Amino acid sequence: MARKLDRSISLFSAVNIGIGTMIGSAIFVLVGTSIDFAGPSSFISVGLAGLAAIFTAFSFAELVTVIPTAGGGYAYVREASKNGVIGFISGWAFWLGYAMSCGLFAIGFGTFVIYLLSFVGITFPPIIASYILILVFVILNIKGSKNSTKLQNWITGILITILLAYILVGIFHVNTENLKPLAPFGFKGTFKALSLLYITYIGYGLITTMSEEVQNPEVNIPKSIFISTIIVTIIKILVFFIAAGIMSWELLTSASTSTPMIDTAISIAGPIGGIIFAFAGLLATTSSINTSILASSRTSYALSKDRRFPNAFSTINRITKTPVISILMTGIIAVISTSLQNIEKISTITALFSLIGYSFVNIAVIMIRKQKQKKLQSV
């Protein structure tokens, strides 16, 4: 008899999975790159990206009530299209998109670790810290999703508390003159940043990949999708707006600093502000890599169950009740992605895979609706 995944993820944990993933990459990794493209209007970019994400979130929420199985977007496209090739392409796109995104989080983690250790005179290549992060969370995920989701709840709670403090204090330090010109590269730059920031909302898609581990998935997953997406969109808009209003945007570009958000926190509260925000960055990147490893491994698990990957990927460990080979393979891809050491290149590749997968999901909704109509007409 085939072993099943452990259904241990509550609504609260599912919401935290979404929030933790969607906050991490935008605020703590891609702020500088998005300001490179959009200047102060990056807060508009991240808001529009959130709005676009909500429309696709409706597709995921609808499909999970019909197909509450592990694999998320891949499973929905497979069932809707009844086409092995389309399902295979979408599955690979989701799998590689989630796994490659781990590189963004690992690089960000390395940057924050080195910043904090510099205060005690310790220095070493940031990539070492990045590799250690990947190793730790591969091991945690192998030990079981119950362990990783408990940690996720704590991380997300502390992270939101720090960001709310940043918003409440930072709003009084905003100088509207720093927001001029709003779009120094025109709104073409604003939309270019939007395409980059859209991938930072893939957290709601990650929730659906764990449908076989979420309690009452038909109810809890749609709820968690909308709750997490709305909360994250509001927080991102406010944080981006405050950051751009505190300092001149030229000082926050990737050419000027590798730690733009830390710089704004220092402007608000001095060195202690920088330390607190660097700590928040550690939490955000660990939260994001945790959920990305979860989602990527569950996608390859689903592909293997459909015999589109080797059987080993869907083998559930008797003790931990997790797909160990799927998790290990995600860890290997994460190491390769991190080794590129190029945030813009990694985010572009991730965006491409995500766009392919999420486009197929939107098409899958239309297909499922048509199939329902045909069934009703034939009755």
Side-chain angles (χ1 to χ4, degrees), residues 169-214:
V169 177
I171 195 69
F172 295 103
H173 290 75
V174 169
N175 180 356
T176 55
E177 290 300 313
N178 288 327
L179 300 173
K180 301 175 183 177
L182 182 62
F185 306 108
F187 281 98
K188 180 180 179 181
T190 304
F191 282 98
K192 187 175 182 180
L194 185 160
S195 64
L196 178 74
L197 291 166
Y198 179 78
I199 65 167
T200 68
Y201 287 94
I202 63 175
Y204 62 79
L206 270 65
I207 299 170
T208 63
T209 64
M210 291 168 277
S211 295
E212 290 185 13
E213 294 160 275
V214 175

Side-chain angles (χ1 to χ4, degrees), residues 130-183:
S130 300
Y131 290 150
I132 291 173
L133 176 72
I134 295 169
L135 176 62
V136 167
F137 275 91
V138 164
I139 292 172
L140 277 176
N141 275 273
I142 286 174
K143 290 180 68 176
S145 61
K146 190 172 183 178
N147 294 314
S148 58
T149 51
K150 280 184 178 179
L151 178 62
Q152 183 76 24
N153 293 341
W154 278 102
I155 288 175
T156 304
I158 297 170
L159 181 59
I160 290 178
T161 300
I162 293 174
L163 288 175
L164 289 177
Y166 176 88
I167 292 168
L168 293 173
V169 177
I171 195 69
F172 295 103
H173 290 75
V174 169
N175 180 356
T176 55
E177 290 300 313
N178 288 327
L179 300 173
K180 301 175 183 177
L182 182 62

Side-chain angles (χ1 to χ4, degrees), residues 179-372:
L179 300 173
K180 301 175 183 177
L182 182 62
F185 306 108
F187 281 98
K188 180 180 179 181
T190 304
F191 282 98
K192 187 175 182 180
L194 185 160
S195 64
L196 178 74
L197 291 166
Y198 179 78
I199 65 167
T200 68
Y201 287 94
I202 63 175
Y204 62 79
L206 270 65
I207 299 170
T208 63
T209 64
M210 291 168 277
S211 295
E212 290 185 13
E213 294 160 275
V214 175
Q215 300 163 3
N216 194 9
E218 294 90 341
V219 175
N220 286 339
I221 290 182
K223 284 183 179 179
S224 64
I225 286 173
F226 290 114
I227 292 171
S228 60
T229 304
I230 292 170
I231 289 174
V232 166
T233 301
I234 293 170
I235 291 176
K236 283 181 179 179
I237 292 172
L238 291 172
V239 169
F240 271 59
F241 174 80
I242 290 169
I246 287 174
M247 298 176 65
S248 172
W249 69 270
E250 290 98 334
L251 299 176
L252 300 176
T253 62
S254 55
S256 300
T257 178
S258 61
T259 55
M261 292 306 300
I262 289 177
D263 294 349
T264 63
I266 291 173
S267 179
I268 293 172
I272 188 65
I275 292 172
I276 291 173
F277 220 87
F279 175 67
L282 292 180
L283 294 178
T285 49
T286 54
S287 170
S288 295
I289 200 167
N290 176 39
T291 52
S292 293
I293 290 173
L294 270 169
S296 178
S297 62
R298 273 29 174 203
T299 302
S300 56
Y301 164 82
L303 282 161
S304 176
K305 284 181 67 178
D306 292 340
R307 298 183 180 180
R308 305 196 190 285
F309 265 27
N311 289 335
F313 282 79
S314 58
T315 300
I316 302 299
N317 183 274
R318 181 175 57 85
I319 298 173
T320 65
K321 296 183 180 180
T322 55
V324 175
I325 300 301
S326 286
I327 295 169
L328 288 174
M329 183 55 68
T330 293
I332 291 171
I333 297 172
V335 168
I336 294 171
S337 175
T338 301
S339 299
L340 293 176
Q341 289 293 287
N342 187 315
I343 288 177
E344 185 174 346
K345 184 178 291 184
I346 296 170
S347 58
T348 300
I349 295 171
T350 303
L352 176 62
F353 285 129
S354 299
L355 182 62
I356 292 171
Y358 281 52
S359 296
F360 276 126
V361 168
N362 287 322
I363 295 171
V365 171
I366 299 172
M367 290 180 173
I368 288 291
R369 287 174 180 173
K370 287 184 176 180
Q371 290 169 16
K372 284 184 176 179

